[in-house]
Amino acid sequence: MLRNMAGELSEGSMEQKIGPCISMMGTRAMLFEAPGDFTLAQQRRIWALTEASRERRDVAEVIVGVTNLMLVFSQAPEDPLAIAHWLLKAWDTLPERHIKGRLFEIGVRYGGELGEDLFHVAEHACLSREDVISLHHGAEYTVCALGSVPGFGYLHGLDPRIATPRKSVPSLKMLAGTVTIGGKQAGISALTGPNGWNSIGFTEISLFNPEEESPSLFAMGDRIRFYPESIDL
């Protein structure tokens, strides 16, 4: 449904029962949300839509999220419905975009004080902590989007057997480099601060350096493989 944040647009509804949702965010931005689960195939379609959107002259910026993207226009569009129709057509017709990213192999110190939620993840999954570690580093992950905080990559590829809801009470000072699980996603904390994801380990890798030409270590399409540097149960 195409909506304005102050209320539904008078031109009518574009709702589809299982289709994308398109919403106006103020007067100069439009949010496109894909239907269905968080899959790599869906994210590749988002990447394709992102590439096509960046070619529009009226678009100043495209912000990519997990199965969603936001268009920021250079000025308030005169006909938002026409742009929404264009997005829907592009979504239905564009092929998936495959990005050949870099491969990062990242060592993790699993468990211990900096992976204090490992026991909780194991308990939730009805698995041993050793099995959680094995499943976590046995997968290959893809960076689907960057966001939340500078340098943070949303990772696809977590084994569903160890998917664990975010904590009801966040950690107040989770260190940058903490290896985490949040729902169906895996991640690495990019900055030190409050965090509701489950900590299962720690890595010394730095994800964000504002002094670098490319401040974020990761980019969309990069792949990650974790390996255990140590295990403290």
Side-chain angles (χ1 to χ4, degrees), residues 102-155:
R102 301 159 295 173
L103 175 63
F104 292 86
E105 295 188 347
I106 297 175
V108 179
R109 303 202 303 264
Y110 284 102
E113 291 184 3
L114 299 181
E116 61 182 6
D117 298 316
L118 177 61
F119 176 80
H120 170 66
V121 172
E123 187 176 48
H124 175 80
C126 297
L127 295 169
S128 69
R129 286 171 286 179
E130 292 89 346
D131 286 340
V132 170
I133 292 169
S134 179
L135 290 171
H136 182 263
H137 76 73
E140 182 174 282
Y141 300 85
T142 300
V143 179
C144 289
L146 298 173
S148 177
V149 298
F152 179 76
Y154 289 96
L155 307 184

Short mmCIF file of all heavy atoms in Angstrom, two decimals, residues 102-155:
data_model
loop_
_atom_site.label_atom_id
_atom_site.label_comp_id
_atom_site.label_asym_id
_atom_site.label_seq_id
_atom_site.Cartn_x
_atom_site.Cartn_y
_atom_site.Cartn_z
N ARG A 102 34.22 -9.87 -1.97
CA ARG A 102 35.45 -10.45 -1.43
C ARG A 102 35.12 -11.50 -0.37
O ARG A 102 34.03 -11.50 0.20
CB ARG A 102 36.31 -9.35 -0.81
CG ARG A 102 36.71 -8.25 -1.77
CD ARG A 102 37.09 -6.98 -1.02
NE ARG A 102 35.94 -6.43 -0.30
CZ ARG A 102 36.02 -5.41 0.55
NH1 ARG A 102 37.19 -4.85 0.79
NH2 ARG A 102 34.94 -4.97 1.16
N LEU A 103 36.07 -12.37 -0.11
CA LEU A 103 35.91 -13.37 0.93
C LEU A 103 36.78 -12.99 2.12
O LEU A 103 37.99 -12.78 1.99
CB LEU A 103 36.32 -14.76 0.42
CG LEU A 103 36.31 -15.88 1.47
CD1 LEU A 103 34.91 -16.12 2.03
CD2 LEU A 103 36.88 -17.17 0.89
N PHE A 104 36.16 -12.90 3.31
CA PHE A 104 36.88 -12.64 4.55
C PHE A 104 36.84 -13.89 5.43
O PHE A 104 35.77 -14.47 5.64
CB PHE A 104 36.22 -11.48 5.32
CG PHE A 104 36.35 -10.14 4.66
CD1 PHE A 104 35.44 -9.74 3.70
CD2 PHE A 104 37.39 -9.28 5.01
CE1 PHE A 104 35.55 -8.49 3.10
CE2 PHE A 104 37.51 -8.04 4.41
CZ PHE A 104 36.59 -7.64 3.45
N GLU A 105 37.99 -14.31 5.91
CA GLU A 105 38.05 -15.39 6.89
C GLU A 105 38.40 -14.77 8.24
O GLU A 105 39.45 -14.16 8.40
CB GLU A 105 39.07 -16.44 6.46
CG GLU A 105 38.66 -17.14 5.16
CD GLU A 105 39.56 -18.31 4.82
OE1 GLU A 105 40.65 -18.43 5.45
OE2 GLU A 105 39.20 -19.10 3.94
N ILE A 106 37.49 -14.92 9.18
CA ILE A 106 37.58 -14.18 10.44
C ILE A 106 37.66 -15.14 11.62
O ILE A 106 36.78 -15.98 11.82
CB ILE A 106 36.34 -13.27 10.59
CG1 ILE A 106 36.33 -12.23 9.45
CG2 ILE A 106 36.34 -12.57 11.95
CD1 ILE A 106 35.10 -11.36 9.43
N GLY A 107 38.72 -14.99 12.39
CA GLY A 107 38.90 -15.81 13.59
C GLY A 107 38.06 -15.30 14.74
O GLY A 107 37.94 -14.10 14.96
N VAL A 108 37.47 -16.24 15.49
CA VAL A 108 36.57 -15.89 16.60
C VAL A 108 37.02 -16.58 17.87
O VAL A 108 37.36 -17.77 17.85
CB VAL A 108 35.12 -16.30 16.29
CG1 VAL A 108 34.19 -15.96 17.46
CG2 VAL A 108 34.62 -15.65 15.01
N ARG A 109 37.02 -15.83 18.96
CA ARG A 109 37.20 -16.44 20.28
C ARG A 109 35.80 -16.70 20.82
O ARG A 109 35.10 -15.80 21.29
CB ARG A 109 37.98 -15.49 21.20
CG ARG A 109 39.34 -15.09 20.64
CD ARG A 109 40.30 -14.64 21.74
NE ARG A 109 39.79 -13.53 22.53
CZ ARG A 109 40.08 -12.25 22.30
NH1 ARG A 109 40.86 -11.92 21.28
NH2 ARG A 109 39.60 -11.29 23.08
N TYR A 110 35.37 -17.95 20.70
CA TYR A 110 34.00 -18.30 21.09
C TYR A 110 33.87 -18.46 22.60
O TYR A 110 34.76 -18.99 23.27
CB TYR A 110 33.58 -19.61 20.41
CG TYR A 110 33.23 -19.47 18.95
CD1 TYR A 110 34.14 -19.87 17.97
CD2 TYR A 110 32.01 -18.97 18.55
CE1 TYR A 110 33.83 -19.77 16.61
CE2 TYR A 110 31.68 -18.85 17.19
CZ TYR A 110 32.59 -19.26 16.24
OH TYR A 110 32.28 -19.16 14.90
N GLY A 111 32.72 -17.99 23.13
CA GLY A 111 32.43 -18.16 24.55
C GLY A 111 33.19 -17.15 25.40
O GLY A 111 33.61 -16.08 24.95
N GLY A 112 33.35 -17.49 26.68
CA GLY A 112 34.04 -16.60 27.61
C GLY A 112 33.19 -15.39 27.94
O GLY A 112 32.00 -15.31 27.62
N GLU A 113 33.80 -14.40 28.58
CA GLU A 113 33.07 -13.21 29.02
C GLU A 113 32.51 -12.40 27.86
O GLU A 113 31.46 -11.76 28.00
CB GLU A 113 34.00 -12.32 29.86
CG GLU A 113 34.38 -12.92 31.22
CD GLU A 113 35.20 -11.96 32.05
OE1 GLU A 113 35.42 -10.82 31.58
OE2 GLU A 113 35.63 -12.34 33.15
N LEU A 114 33.19 -12.42 26.72
CA LEU A 114 32.74 -11.63 25.58
C LEU A 114 31.77 -12.41 24.69
O LEU A 114 31.29 -11.87 23.69
CB LEU A 114 33.94 -11.14 24.76
CG LEU A 114 34.90 -10.23 25.53
CD1 LEU A 114 36.04 -9.78 24.63
CD2 LEU A 114 34.17 -9.02 26.11
N GLY A 115 31.49 -13.63 25.07
CA GLY A 115 30.48 -14.44 24.36
C GLY A 115 29.52 -15.04 25.36
O GLY A 115 29.17 -16.21 25.29
N GLU A 116 29.07 -14.19 26.28
CA GLU A 116 28.33 -14.69 27.44
C GLU A 116 26.95 -15.25 27.11
O GLU A 116 26.35 -15.94 27.93
CB GLU A 116 28.17 -13.56 28.47
CG GLU A 116 27.39 -12.36 27.95
CD GLU A 116 27.29 -11.24 28.97
OE1 GLU A 116 27.94 -11.38 30.04
OE2 GLU A 116 26.59 -10.25 28.71
N ASP A 117 26.43 -14.95 25.91
CA ASP A 117 25.10 -15.47 25.55
C ASP A 117 25.16 -16.80 24.81
O ASP A 117 24.12 -17.31 24.37
CB ASP A 117 24.36 -14.44 24.68
CG ASP A 117 24.11 -13.14 25.42
OD1 ASP A 117 23.72 -13.20 26.60
OD2 ASP A 117 24.34 -12.07 24.82
N LEU A 118 26.34 -17.37 24.70
CA LEU A 118 26.47 -18.66 24.01
C LEU A 118 25.60 -19.72 24.68
O LEU A 118 24.93 -20.51 24.01
CB LEU A 118 27.94 -19.09 24.00
CG LEU A 118 28.24 -20.46 23.38
CD1 LEU A 118 27.81 -20.51 21.91
CD2 LEU A 118 29.73 -20.78 23.50
N PHE A 119 25.58 -19.73 26.01
CA PHE A 119 24.77 -20.72 26.73
C PHE A 119 23.29 -20.52 26.43
O PHE A 119 22.55 -21.48 26.22
CB PHE A 119 25.02 -20.62 28.24
CG PHE A 119 24.16 -21.54 29.04
CD1 PHE A 119 24.47 -22.89 29.17
CD2 PHE A 119 23.00 -21.07 29.66
CE1 PHE A 119 23.66 -23.75 29.91
CE2 PHE A 119 22.19 -21.91 30.40
CZ PHE A 119 22.52 -23.26 30.52
N HIS A 120 22.85 -19.25 26.38
CA HIS A 120 21.44 -18.96 26.10
C HIS A 120 21.06 -19.44 24.70
O HIS A 120 19.98 -20.01 24.49
CB HIS A 120 21.18 -17.47 26.23
CG HIS A 120 19.83 -17.04 25.72
ND1 HIS A 120 18.65 -17.42 26.32
CD2 HIS A 120 19.48 -16.28 24.64
CE1 HIS A 120 17.63 -16.92 25.64
NE2 HIS A 120 18.11 -16.22 24.63
N VAL A 121 21.92 -19.19 23.72
CA VAL A 121 21.65 -19.64 22.35
C VAL A 121 21.55 -21.17 22.31
O VAL A 121 20.64 -21.73 21.69
CB VAL A 121 22.75 -19.14 21.38
CG1 VAL A 121 22.57 -19.76 20.00
CG2 VAL A 121 22.72 -17.62 21.29
N ALA A 122 22.48 -21.84 22.99
CA ALA A 122 22.45 -23.30 23.02
C ALA A 122 21.18 -23.81 23.69
O ALA A 122 20.54 -24.77 23.22
CB ALA A 122 23.69 -23.82 23.75
N GLU A 123 20.79 -23.17 24.78
CA GLU A 123 19.58 -23.57 25.50
C GLU A 123 18.34 -23.37 24.62
O GLU A 123 17.45 -24.22 24.57
CB GLU A 123 19.47 -22.77 26.78
CG GLU A 123 18.35 -23.22 27.72
CD GLU A 123 18.35 -22.43 29.01
OE1 GLU A 123 18.44 -21.18 28.94
OE2 GLU A 123 18.25 -23.05 30.07
N HIS A 124 18.28 -22.24 23.93
CA HIS A 124 17.14 -21.95 23.05
C HIS A 124 17.06 -22.97 21.91
O HIS A 124 15.97 -23.39 21.53
CB HIS A 124 17.25 -20.54 22.49
CG HIS A 124 16.18 -20.20 21.49
ND1 HIS A 124 14.91 -19.83 21.87
CD2 HIS A 124 16.18 -20.20 20.13
CE1 HIS A 124 14.18 -19.62 20.80
NE2 HIS A 124 14.93 -19.82 19.73
N ALA A 125 18.22 -23.35 21.38
CA ALA A 125 18.26 -24.27 20.24
C ALA A 125 18.19 -25.73 20.65
O ALA A 125 18.11 -26.61 19.78
CB ALA A 125 19.53 -24.02 19.43
N CYS A 126 18.24 -25.99 21.95
CA CYS A 126 18.28 -27.37 22.47
C CYS A 126 19.48 -28.12 21.89
O CYS A 126 19.40 -29.27 21.46
CB CYS A 126 16.98 -28.12 22.14
SG CYS A 126 15.51 -27.40 22.91
N LEU A 127 20.60 -27.42 21.89
CA LEU A 127 21.85 -27.99 21.40
C LEU A 127 22.94 -27.74 22.43
O LEU A 127 22.79 -26.91 23.33
CB LEU A 127 22.26 -27.33 20.07
CG LEU A 127 21.35 -27.55 18.86
CD1 LEU A 127 21.76 -26.61 17.73
CD2 LEU A 127 21.41 -29.00 18.39
N SER A 128 24.06 -28.44 22.28
CA SER A 128 25.21 -28.15 23.13
C SER A 128 25.90 -26.89 22.63
O SER A 128 25.72 -26.46 21.47
CB SER A 128 26.20 -29.32 23.09
OG SER A 128 26.81 -29.41 21.81
N ARG A 129 26.70 -26.27 23.48
CA ARG A 129 27.44 -25.09 23.06
C ARG A 129 28.44 -25.43 21.95
O ARG A 129 28.67 -24.62 21.04
CB ARG A 129 28.15 -24.47 24.28
CG ARG A 129 27.19 -23.74 25.22
CD ARG A 129 27.84 -23.34 26.52
NE ARG A 129 28.05 -24.49 27.40
CZ ARG A 129 28.61 -24.43 28.59
NH1 ARG A 129 29.05 -23.26 29.04
NH2 ARG A 129 28.75 -25.50 29.33
N GLU A 130 29.00 -26.63 22.03
CA GLU A 130 29.92 -27.07 20.97
C GLU A 130 29.20 -27.15 19.63
O GLU A 130 29.76 -26.77 18.58
CB GLU A 130 30.52 -28.43 21.32
CG GLU A 130 31.48 -28.41 22.51
CD GLU A 130 30.77 -28.64 23.84
OE1 GLU A 130 29.51 -28.54 23.87
OE2 GLU A 130 31.46 -28.93 24.83
N ASP A 131 27.95 -27.64 19.64
CA ASP A 131 27.19 -27.74 18.39
C ASP A 131 26.86 -26.35 17.84
O ASP A 131 26.89 -26.13 16.62
CB ASP A 131 25.89 -28.52 18.62
CG ASP A 131 26.13 -30.01 18.78
OD1 ASP A 131 27.20 -30.49 18.34
OD2 ASP A 131 25.24 -30.70 19.33
N VAL A 132 26.52 -25.41 18.72
CA VAL A 132 26.24 -24.04 18.27
C VAL A 132 27.46 -23.45 17.58
O VAL A 132 27.36 -22.87 16.49
CB VAL A 132 25.82 -23.15 19.46
CG1 VAL A 132 25.77 -21.69 19.04
CG2 VAL A 132 24.46 -23.59 19.99
N ILE A 133 28.62 -23.62 18.19
CA ILE A 133 29.86 -23.10 17.60
C ILE A 133 30.13 -23.75 16.25
O ILE A 133 30.47 -23.07 15.27
CB ILE A 133 31.04 -23.35 18.56
CG1 ILE A 133 30.87 -22.48 19.82
CG2 ILE A 133 32.37 -23.04 17.88
CD1 ILE A 133 31.83 -22.84 20.94
N SER A 134 29.95 -25.06 16.18
CA SER A 134 30.19 -25.78 14.93
C SER A 134 29.26 -25.30 13.82
O SER A 134 29.70 -25.09 12.67
CB SER A 134 30.02 -27.28 15.16
OG SER A 134 30.23 -28.00 13.96
N LEU A 135 27.99 -25.13 14.15
CA LEU A 135 27.03 -24.67 13.14
C LEU A 135 27.31 -23.23 12.73
O LEU A 135 27.15 -22.86 11.56
CB LEU A 135 25.61 -24.79 13.68
CG LEU A 135 25.08 -26.22 13.85
CD1 LEU A 135 23.75 -26.22 14.59
CD2 LEU A 135 24.94 -26.91 12.50
N HIS A 136 27.74 -22.42 13.68
CA HIS A 136 28.01 -21.01 13.36
C HIS A 136 29.19 -20.87 12.41
O HIS A 136 29.10 -20.13 11.41
CB HIS A 136 28.27 -20.22 14.65
CG HIS A 136 28.51 -18.76 14.41
ND1 HIS A 136 29.78 -18.22 14.31
CD2 HIS A 136 27.64 -17.72 14.24
CE1 HIS A 136 29.68 -16.93 14.09
NE2 HIS A 136 28.41 -16.59 14.04
N HIS A 137 30.29 -21.54 12.68
CA HIS A 137 31.46 -21.36 11.81
C HIS A 137 31.44 -22.31 10.61
O HIS A 137 32.29 -22.19 9.72
CB HIS A 137 32.77 -21.48 12.60
CG HIS A 137 33.18 -22.86 12.97
ND1 HIS A 137 33.68 -23.77 12.06
CD2 HIS A 137 33.18 -23.50 14.17
CE1 HIS A 137 33.98 -24.90 12.68
NE2 HIS A 137 33.68 -24.76 13.96
N GLY A 138 30.44 -23.19 10.55
CA GLY A 138 30.35 -24.10 9.41
C GLY A 138 29.63 -23.51 8.22
O GLY A 138 29.55 -24.14 7.16
N ALA A 139 29.08 -22.31 8.37
CA ALA A 139 28.33 -21.68 7.28
C ALA A 139 29.15 -20.58 6.60
O ALA A 139 30.12 -20.09 7.16
CB ALA A 139 27.03 -21.08 7.83
N GLU A 140 28.74 -20.24 5.39
CA GLU A 140 29.30 -19.06 4.71
C GLU A 140 28.23 -17.98 4.70
O GLU A 140 27.08 -18.26 4.36
CB GLU A 140 29.74 -19.39 3.29
CG GLU A 140 30.36 -18.19 2.58
CD GLU A 140 30.92 -18.52 1.21
OE1 GLU A 140 32.02 -19.10 1.14
OE2 GLU A 140 30.23 -18.22 0.21
N TYR A 141 28.62 -16.77 5.05
CA TYR A 141 27.67 -15.67 5.19
C TYR A 141 27.88 -14.64 4.08
O TYR A 141 28.99 -14.46 3.58
CB TYR A 141 27.85 -14.99 6.55
CG TYR A 141 27.63 -15.92 7.72
CD1 TYR A 141 28.67 -16.73 8.20
CD2 TYR A 141 26.39 -16.03 8.34
CE1 TYR A 141 28.48 -17.61 9.26
CE2 TYR A 141 26.19 -16.90 9.40
CZ TYR A 141 27.24 -17.68 9.85
OH TYR A 141 27.03 -18.55 10.90
N THR A 142 26.79 -13.97 3.72
CA THR A 142 26.84 -12.92 2.71
C THR A 142 26.40 -11.60 3.34
O THR A 142 25.39 -11.55 4.05
CB THR A 142 25.90 -13.25 1.53
OG1 THR A 142 26.32 -14.48 0.93
CG2 THR A 142 25.95 -12.15 0.48
N VAL A 143 27.16 -10.54 3.08
CA VAL A 143 26.79 -9.21 3.55
C VAL A 143 25.69 -8.68 2.65
O VAL A 143 25.92 -8.38 1.48
CB VAL A 143 28.00 -8.25 3.53
CG1 VAL A 143 27.58 -6.86 4.01
CG2 VAL A 143 29.13 -8.80 4.39
N CYS A 144 24.48 -8.58 3.20
CA CYS A 144 23.33 -8.17 2.40
C CYS A 144 23.13 -6.68 2.38
O CYS A 144 22.64 -6.12 1.40
CB CYS A 144 22.07 -8.86 2.94
SG CYS A 144 22.02 -10.62 2.58
N ALA A 145 23.48 -6.02 3.46
CA ALA A 145 23.31 -4.57 3.56
C ALA A 145 24.17 -4.06 4.70
O ALA A 145 24.57 -4.81 5.58
CB ALA A 145 21.84 -4.21 3.80
N LEU A 146 24.46 -2.77 4.65
CA LEU A 146 25.19 -2.09 5.72
C LEU A 146 24.26 -1.09 6.38
O LEU A 146 23.50 -0.40 5.70
CB LEU A 146 26.42 -1.37 5.17
CG LEU A 146 27.48 -2.25 4.51
CD1 LEU A 146 28.56 -1.39 3.87
CD2 LEU A 146 28.12 -3.19 5.52
N GLY A 147 24.31 -1.00 7.70
CA GLY A 147 23.44 -0.05 8.35
C GLY A 147 23.42 -0.21 9.84
O GLY A 147 24.29 -0.85 10.42
N SER A 148 22.40 0.34 10.47
CA SER A 148 22.21 0.33 11.92
C SER A 148 23.22 1.27 12.57
O SER A 148 22.87 2.28 13.16
CB SER A 148 22.31 -1.08 12.51
OG SER A 148 22.20 -1.08 13.90
N VAL A 149 24.51 0.95 12.47
CA VAL A 149 25.60 1.85 12.85
C VAL A 149 26.65 1.75 11.74
O VAL A 149 26.67 0.79 10.97
CB VAL A 149 26.22 1.46 14.22
CG1 VAL A 149 25.20 1.57 15.33
CG2 VAL A 149 26.82 0.07 14.18
N PRO A 150 27.53 2.73 11.61
CA PRO A 150 28.53 2.70 10.55
C PRO A 150 29.37 1.42 10.57
O PRO A 150 29.91 1.04 11.61
CB PRO A 150 29.39 3.93 10.84
CG PRO A 150 28.48 4.86 11.56
CD PRO A 150 27.60 3.99 12.39
N GLY A 151 29.43 0.75 9.42
CA GLY A 151 30.27 -0.43 9.29
C GLY A 151 29.58 -1.74 9.58
O GLY A 151 30.14 -2.81 9.28
N PHE A 152 28.38 -1.71 10.17
CA PHE A 152 27.72 -2.96 10.54
C PHE A 152 27.12 -3.63 9.30
O PHE A 152 26.41 -3.01 8.52
CB PHE A 152 26.61 -2.71 11.55
CG PHE A 152 25.86 -3.96 11.95
CD1 PHE A 152 26.44 -4.87 12.82
CD2 PHE A 152 24.61 -4.23 11.44
CE1 PHE A 152 25.76 -6.03 13.18
CE2 PHE A 152 23.92 -5.37 11.80
CZ PHE A 152 24.50 -6.27 12.67
N GLY A 153 27.42 -4.92 9.13
CA GLY A 153 26.90 -5.69 8.01
C GLY A 153 25.85 -6.69 8.46
O GLY A 153 26.07 -7.45 9.40
N TYR A 154 24.69 -6.65 7.81
CA TYR A 154 23.66 -7.66 8.05
C TYR A 154 24.02 -8.91 7.24
O TYR A 154 24.15 -8.85 6.01
CB TYR A 154 22.30 -7.13 7.63
CG TYR A 154 21.76 -6.05 8.54
CD1 TYR A 154 21.94 -4.71 8.22
CD2 TYR A 154 21.07 -6.37 9.70
CE1 TYR A 154 21.44 -3.71 9.05
CE2 TYR A 154 20.57 -5.38 10.53
CZ TYR A 154 20.76 -4.06 10.21
OH TYR A 154 20.28 -3.08 11.03
N LEU A 155 24.17 -10.03 7.94
CA LEU A 155 24.69 -11.24 7.32
C LEU A 155 23.58 -12.26 7.11
O LEU A 155 22.82 -12.58 8.02
CB LEU A 155 25.79 -11.86 8.19
CG LEU A 155 26.94 -10.94 8.59
CD1 LEU A 155 27.99 -11.73 9.38
CD2 LEU A 155 27.57 -10.27 7.38
#
